[in-house]
Amino acid sequence: MELVSLPGQGAKGKVWLVGAGPGDVDLLTMKAWRVLKSADVVLYDALVSQEILALIPNDAEKIAVGKRAGKHSAGQDEINQLLVTKAYTRNKVVRLKGGDPFIFGRGGEELQTLVAAGVEFEVIPGITAASGTSAYAGIPLTHRDHAQGVTFITGHCQLQSRPMDWQGYANPHNTLVVYMGILNAGIIRQGLMDAGRDGATPVAIVSKATTAEQRCFVGSLEQLEQLAADPELQMPALMIIGDVVSLAGSLNWFQPQVTAKTQAASQANT
Ligand code: SAH
């Protein structure tokens, strides 16, 4: 990729790579909030909630660069280029991303571009979807009786170029959290079961976690495709696979605001 280079001139501004958390505005860190309130320009992703965008000052420039499965509003090279251009022309540039910028957020790639262009930056972590979902669905990711470890993987399986390590993910004493996996539920179920993970392993798919529209679909690994195909399931959604999911029934403290639509759906299911 070709970078903007403005010979003889340093970048005027600095970039803050900021994690916005999984949705609930109250899960934003105080540092992120402070930086957002004084931003000159904010480049934000599709996953950042409206309530968080509302914290950006009116006179700041807001640029949507979000990507959603299948729909690209800006390519990654274009975003990298835009960040550099903004850093050369504005003082305080915020790159706002859903969850944590270093977990499946391409934050590393964007920073590498800034380094190459000589732009200063800071990183502000965010609560990643796995932590937000786990907390709000009442599913501890580790538990002495159920899981000694947890692994975060992308379910955006690029099977040809980067084969998935199914054997590595089949350990029954480990919790597996799958980001971006809904469209590949069949491949994930098959890969894990072929590698020896029990089809009866509890799984949860949690959609719009930490928001008023959170829904949790619980079943077993062998039912993963059916759960992922539920017409009530909205994006974004995360899969949690492992025995810890069995705790959700007793630990799910969060009562999302029930909308007329979800109420009608749950009545139809009874
Ligand atoms: N950097 C982000 C992840 C970006 S990848 C983070 O740290 O959370 C996008 C994936 O994150 C989605 O496909 C989905 O699997 C998950 N995700 C993000 N927000 C979510 C939410 N509120 N509820 C459920 N899953 C979410």
Side-chain angles (χ1 to χ4, degrees), residues 36-158:
L36 262 189
K37 280 196 305 182
S38 55
D40 294 317
V41 50
V42 181
L43 288 84
Y44 63 92
D45 278 352
L47 282 179
V48 177
S49 73
Q50 287 304 321
E51 286 133 300
I52 289 175
L53 296 178
L55 302 174
I56 303 170
N58 286 336
D59 57 354
E61 186 184 359
K62 289 194 223 175
I63 308 174
V65 291
K67 286 194 284 286
R68 271 288 167 93
K71 279 191 242 156
H72 282 240
S73 44
Q76 190 62 48
D77 283 353
E78 225 177 301
I79 297 172
N80 294 351
Q81 186 78 62
L82 192 59
L83 263 179
V84 173
T85 310
K86 290 297 172 191
Y88 271 85
T89 52
R90 309 297 297 267
N91 285 319
K92 201 157 184 178
V93 180
V94 173
R95 175 68 177 107
L96 188 61
K97 287 177 171 284
D100 181 87
F102 279 174
I103 296 191
F104 305 122
R106 301 203 176 184
E109 294 166 45
E110 294 180 13
L111 293 189
Q112 285 170 307
T113 308
L114 296 180
V115 170
V119 175
E120 250 191 281
F121 61 83
E122 277 187 37
V123 185
I124 303 181
I127 292 184
T128 189
S131 297
T133 301
S134 140
Y136 282 54
I139 304 172
L141 295 179
T142 66
H143 185 291
R144 281 193 295 171
D145 298 335
H146 301 280
Q148 280 72 56
V150 54
T151 306
F152 297 171
I153 66 167
T154 168
H156 194 267
C157 319
Q158 291 165 309

Side-chain angles (χ1 to χ4, degrees), residues 153-155 157 159 163-171 176 178 181 184-199 201 221-225 239 241:
I153 66 167
T154 168
C157 319
L159 295 171
M164 305 288 282
D165 176 21
W166 299 119
Q167 289 297 336
Y169 307 142
N171 176 356
L176 191 61
V178 188
N184 287 327
I187 297 173
I188 294 163
R189 176 193 54 78
Q190 181 93 50
L192 288 173
M193 288 180 60
D194 286 353
R197 193 118 193 196
D198 189 346
T201 305
L221 179 58
E222 57 201 350
Q223 298 167 331
L224 196 64
E225 280 145 292
M239 295 172 179
I241 301 171

